[in-house]
Amino acid sequence: MSASEENDHNAVRRLAAADAAAYRALMLDAYATHPSAFTTTVEERSGLPLGWWEERLGSDASEASVVYGAFDGAGRLVGAAGLSFEARQRARHKATLFGMAVAASARRAGFGRRLVLAVLAHARAIERLRLVQLTVTEGNSTAQALYERCGFQIFGVEPLAIAVDGALLAKVHMWCDLRASPA
């Protein structure tokens, strides 16, 4: 298989309701495998009906969030990243990147970068948006470096942000100016 054929099969696209079961499985695995990376726990999400996951994927431009997925050469969902939009009038210029996850079997293959760039491209296409923000658990240097390579900058650290297995962990807050040149 040529490199261009492999890239065609390793697609990143917006997820739809038909992807909800695969998205749910990917995220539940991520919550369980990397609990310190997420504010949400596997226990909080595992009992939610499939309809909740379908709704989270959104279906049109007026939705509260969109989610992009990365697919391997066999067509399996191996990564996801979401974008949620602020509804309040004075904050409608902001969006938040959430739920970034790449399956262990697909890491170091460029899926994370492609997902972040796809989410940023989606955000740039929405005229009212000026910035995308996110949080990353302090000490997750791999994720933080990825976000920095994609144009995010640190603007603060929230101490004691999440409790994981009895430890209180900080969250690094980052932002990306959508008017800056894409990474």
Side-chain angles (χ1 to χ4, degrees):
M1 179 180 296
S2 74
S4 66
E5 287 174 318
E6 185 174 329
N7 287 338
D8 289 342
H9 292 290
N10 292 332
V12 172
R13 66 166 172 80
R14 186 169 170 189
L15 297 180
D19 301 306
Y23 174 57
R24 178 186 185 274
L26 175 77
M27 295 310 299
L28 291 179
D29 179 66
Y31 299 146
T33 307
H34 303 286
S36 67
F38 300 95
T39 303
T40 298
T41 67
V42 69
E43 293 81 13
E44 290 171 320
R45 295 285 200 246
S46 63
L48 294 173
L50 191 59
W52 182 90
W53 297 90
E54 292 170 346
E55 185 177 315
R56 180 140 186 158
L57 298 179
S59 61
D60 61 43
S62 66
E63 294 293 335
S65 64
V66 297
V67 179
Y68 278 79
F71 295 83
D72 67 11
R76 289 182 300 264
L77 180 67
V78 295
L83 188 67
S84 64
F85 307 102
E86 259 297 339
R88 296 172 294 180
Q89 186 65 34
R90 292 182 175 169
R92 293 189 73 226
H93 63 287
K94 298 187 290 186
T96 301
L97 190 153
F98 70 88
M100 173 71 176
V102 176
S105 63
R107 292 201 185 117
R108 306 247 184 262
F111 288 116
R113 179 175 171 81
R114 291 171 59 205
L115 282 164
V116 173
L117 294 178
V119 166
L120 289 175
H122 186 99
R124 283 187 175 96
I126 300 172
E127 190 174 313
R128 75 173 192 275
L129 292 180
R130 173 65 195 268
L131 68 96
V132 173
Q133 55 194 3
L134 60 83
T135 63
V136 61
T137 304
E138 191 173 56
N140 189 345
S141 57
T142 302
Q144 187 173 321
L146 166 65
Y147 297 135
E148 288 171 345
R149 285 192 307 274
C150 291
F152 284 84
Q153 301 172 44
I154 296 170
F155 70 88
V157 177
E158 178 184 358
L160 313 175
I162 61 171
V164 180
D165 297 328
L168 293 172
L169 306 175
K171 285 286 190 174
V172 176
H173 290 254
M174 303 180 80
W175 77 291
C176 179
D177 184 348
L178 295 173
R179 294 184 186 166
S181 297

